[in-house]
Amino acid sequence: RQTVLFAGYLNNEELKELCEIAQAIAAQSKAFSLKTKEIIFAPPSRTPRMLWLSIQDSDDYNNLVKGIEKEVLRQQKERGIFRGVRISSRPPHPHITLARFHESDWPSIQQKMRHFKINLPQIKESFEVKSIDIMKSTLMRAGAKYEKILGIKL
């Protein structure tokens, strides 16, 4: 799963509106392929706390993300809704999160990788994106619990 937009806390009406926006943007899109690049520690330029499978830049993906973001921003300005949604000024960085760990574990991970001479692989594969899902995440002591709210075909 790839997070396209983190919506934060939405009330039921805002969630319904976000689903409608995603459906409208998805209706203008078609299925597309994404290509993987490599496994990296992330986020880039900060102390890592995740392992990502990075995805090559894609106009189809970027257009889908930017379409949703543009409409959410318009609704924020015109109607004052989606206040909890933060749109990044950085370009999308498509990836798949493979693992999460605590920042404090990073030195130990680095040491073990050097000791065992582990290099992160490049992975050159493609996969078809045929739908997007609206997901709800609930933080639990054991980690996040994810629930699918709506699936939308492209």
Side-chain angles (χ1 to χ4, degrees), residues 8-153:
Y9 298 99
L10 300 178
N11 63 40
N12 288 340
E13 186 59 34
E14 288 174 318
L15 178 58
K16 181 178 179 250
E17 297 248 2
L18 181 61
C19 289
E20 289 171 1
I21 288 170
Q23 288 174 311
I25 300 301
Q28 300 168 22
S29 302
K30 60 184 183 339
F32 57 91
S33 290
L34 289 177
K35 295 179 181 166
T36 61
K37 289 194 307 193
E38 61 189 340
I39 294 178
I40 62 170
F41 286 103
S45 72
R46 292 198 351 229
T47 301
R49 59 183 192 278
M50 292 176 273
L51 192 62
W52 284 357
L53 175 57
S54 65
I55 309 291
Q56 289 182 12
D57 200 28
S58 159
D59 288 340
D60 290 319
Y61 175 83
N62 291 342
N63 291 338
L64 181 65
V65 172
K66 291 298 177 190
I68 292 170
E69 289 177 343
K70 183 179 176 182
E71 184 58 23
V72 165
L73 282 172
R74 188 176 78 76
Q75 294 294 332
Q76 280 179 332
K77 279 184 182 173
E78 290 180 9
R79 299 178 50 215
I81 62 173
F82 303 131
R83 292 176 194 260
V85 178
R86 302 281 183 258
I87 305 293
S88 176
S89 59
R90 294 175 289 179
H93 187 164
H95 65 276
I96 298 168
T97 301
L98 302 175
R100 294 179 186 274
F101 51 89
H102 197 275
E103 283 181 19
S104 63
D105 293 331
W106 177 236
S108 173
I109 291 169
Q110 283 181 301
Q111 181 183 17
K112 287 175 181 151
M113 289 189 66
R114 278 193 300 272
H115 178 76
F116 293 108
K117 297 183 171 94
I118 298 171
N119 293 314
L120 295 177
Q122 292 202 359
I123 299 177
K124 305 289 184 181
E125 296 291 330
S126 341
F127 59 94
E128 194 79 9
V129 178
K130 299 176 184 174
S131 64
I132 60 173
D133 294 335
I134 306 292
M135 304 290 294
K136 175 184 177 182
S137 65
T138 306
L139 295 179
M140 313 283 280
R141 185 175 284 263
K145 176 184 160 200
Y146 298 98
E147 175 187 351
K148 183 175 171 179
I149 303 293
L150 177 67
I152 305 166
K153 290 192 186 308

Side-chain angles (χ1 to χ4, degrees), residues 1-6 61 95:
R1 299 215 183 266
Q2 160 66 45
T3 300
V4 170
L5 176 76
F6 179 75
Y61 175 83
H95 65 276

